[in-house]
Structures are given as structure tokens and as C-alpha cells.
Amino acid sequence: MPKAFAPLTATFLSAFLALNLLAVTPAFSWFDKGHRIVGLIAQAHLTAGARKEIERILPGGMTLADAAVWPDHEGRQIREFDPLHYVRIPELASGYDQARDCPERNCMVEALNWFSAAVADKNAPIMMRRLALRYVAHLVGDMHQPLHAGRAADRGGIDISVAYRGATTNLHYFWDANLVDLETGNEEEIAKRLTANLTAADRLKWQAGDPKQWTDESLMLVRSHAYNTGASGELSDDYVEKARPVVRRKLAQAAIRLAWLLNNALK
């Protein structure tokens, strides 16, 4: 196990055991749709070896899509893990900087590195690998939602009220849920549609990089698209129609990268 990861082992183990003792029933709400779509697409792109190892790590019957939503439900019982779902980057910064943006290493960039190492560690206790796999499946999705790399001043869009066609919400939630919910069909149908025309060149191009690079991509998108809401906070149809292809692409990209990451970790 990497030395940087070792101090976290006891925390992960105790947290995992505590959560299992709670016996919380999963509650998959509609806003989990994006994470489940990422899990479904990734599942279809796993190698046979990775698929078999994931089946061994996860508890009976749990799919990768189920694992991907776990951190937003049972995982929220671990309040110390809440900051792991995002990172806040200054408005004028060119990209993520660990010393500046995540000095305590408790953000999604560093967390994905930690959890990926645990998944790959065949000597780690199975319950730790199980917890880590759930967070890997989830955090890759979070990392590809641009506002998870948003500004600290507005908490990644949470403090920005927006309205669209008479419904009011916040900007972060609109990208997390509403834009995904505009896609027609169930999760399986959307997953198939998002990858129906995906080329081998696209897959190969996306199977590269690391959590920092993926976060920097989201940072560029949050600036070029997400925050361009206009002064009134009333989102226009033009805003939504420009955002929807970004969301579709990021869901597919997250899924291909999740599969690539797990295929490499579980060789």
C-alpha cells in the first residue's frame, strides 16, 4: 500500500464497518440518474478480468451503477468525507493546484487518487477495497460535472439561484440533475444512446490523463458554459441547448475513463 495512503486505512475501515452496522436501505432518487448512467456505460466497457474482480469486491447483487450512487446516500453518514466530492479553485487560477486548493488532501482530486490505489491493492482488506470502489465509481462522475470544480465564493453554484420555465433551483443542482433529467428514456436507454455513435478514436482519446487533468477540463467548462447564466438568473433555452451536449459528452467521457481506470487497477 502506498505510504501516502496508509494513514487513511484505519479511518476507511472504521467508517465502512459503522455504515454496515447501520443497515441503511439504499434510496436511489432521480437525481442519481447521471451517476447510474456513468456506471452502466462503464460496466459495458470493462475487461472480463476487471468485471470478475468487481463482482468479487462488491456485495452480492450490487452493480457498478449501484456502487456509483452509494457515496451520496449511505456514504453521507461519514460527514468527514463530504469535501471529497468537489474542489474549489480560485476564479483567476489556470488550473488545480494541490498546495493551494487542497492542502489537507481532502478534495475529489486527491481522494480519487487515494481510492484508486486502494482498489488496486490486492493485499488490502476486502471491505476497504469495497468502500474505495464505490468512491472511485462516484468521484469520476463528480469530476466530470463542471460545477464540482466551481468557485468557493458560491460553493460551486449552490448559492446561485436560477430558474428555468417557471421552476426555481440552484445552478449546481440544475447541472447535477435537471439537465440530465431532460434526457428522454430510462437510464439504460440513455446509456446506450450516449455511446451509440462513439468512435474508437473518441474512446482512445479519452482513455488518458489523471484526476488533475480531468478536473482542469471541468474548470474550463464551468467558466465557458456553466456560469454564463446572465444577470437575471432566468436560464434561456439557448443556455440549456448549449449545456445539454456538454452534459451528454461529460457523462460518456466519465464512463469511458472510469472503465479505463478500473481496467488498469484490476489487471
Side-chain angles (χ1 to χ4, degrees):
M1 181 180 299
K3 290 182 179 179
F5 190 81
L8 298 167
T9 304
T11 300
F12 291 168
L13 285 173
S14 60
F16 183 86
L17 291 171
L19 284 169
N20 278 272
L21 289 172
L22 287 172
V24 179
T25 301
F28 298 139
S29 303
W30 67 272
F31 58 85
D32 296 323
K33 197 173 185 178
H35 282 293
R36 293 186 65 82
I37 290 167
V38 169
L40 287 165
I41 297 173
Q43 180 75 31
H45 289 81
L46 294 172
T47 63
R51 189 176 295 112
K52 183 177 180 180
E53 185 67 1
I54 287 170
E55 289 174 356
R56 190 181 75 82
I57 293 171
L58 293 176
M62 176 173 275
T63 66
L64 195 58
D66 296 333
V69 300
W70 190 93
D72 268 348
H73 295 280
E74 291 89 335
R76 290 295 182 178
Q77 298 291 333
I78 315 172
R79 303 313 301 179
E80 291 87 349
F81 281 14
D82 284 355
L84 305 187
H85 294 257
Y86 59 87
V87 67
R88 301 289 181 247
I89 300 174
E91 191 165 8
L92 299 179
S94 61
Y96 169 79
D97 179 86
Q98 182 269 315
R100 180 194 64 218
D101 305 326
C102 193
E104 296 183 1
R105 299 186 182 273
N106 61 338
C107 65
M108 68 179 182
V109 184
E110 304 307 316
L112 184 53
N113 286 325
W114 300 335
F115 287 123
S116 298
V119 170
D121 185 0
K122 292 181 171 58
N123 294 317
I126 190 68
M127 67 276 286
M128 191 174 82
R129 296 182 78 197
R130 183 173 298 160
L131 180 67
L133 178 55
R134 288 162 167 164
Y135 273 89
V136 168
H138 183 85
L139 292 176
V140 173
D142 277 353
M143 194 166 284
H144 286 76
Q145 200 277 65
L147 281 158
H148 282 256
R151 300 181 300 221
D154 51 60
R155 295 192 297 155
I158 292 173
D159 294 335
I160 298 176
S161 294
V162 296
Y164 182 62
R165 296 190 175 182
T168 302
T169 183
N170 68 68
L171 184 63
H172 188 104
Y173 191 86
F174 190 80
W175 279 76
D176 251 356
N178 297 75
L179 285 169
V180 179
D181 204 46
L182 287 173
E183 298 300 315
T184 59
N186 61 34
E187 293 148 0
E188 289 79 8
E189 292 167 341
I190 296 169
K192 290 178 181 178
R193 191 165 67 243
L194 290 180
T195 53
N197 298 314
L198 196 61
T199 67
D202 285 331
R203 289 188 180 91
L204 186 61
K205 182 179 180 180
W206 292 347
Q207 291 173 353
D210 55 36
K212 181 193 182 308
Q213 293 174 38
W214 302 341
T215 298
D216 286 347
E217 290 175 2
S218 286
L219 176 64
M220 295 303 104
L221 286 171
V222 81
R223 292 172 176 172
S224 63
H225 288 75
Y227 278 130
N228 294 332
T229 60
S232 69
E234 181 71 35
L235 302 179
S236 66
D237 288 336
D238 181 64
Y239 176 94
V240 171
E241 289 311 306
K242 287 178 178 178
R244 290 185 67 184
V246 172
V247 168
R248 294 184 193 117
R249 179 179 176 86
K250 296 307 286 182
L251 287 171
Q253 199 172 53
I256 296 301
R257 286 170 169 170
L258 173 58
W260 175 69
L261 189 158
L262 292 174
N263 286 338
N264 287 329
L266 299 172
K267 285 180 180 177

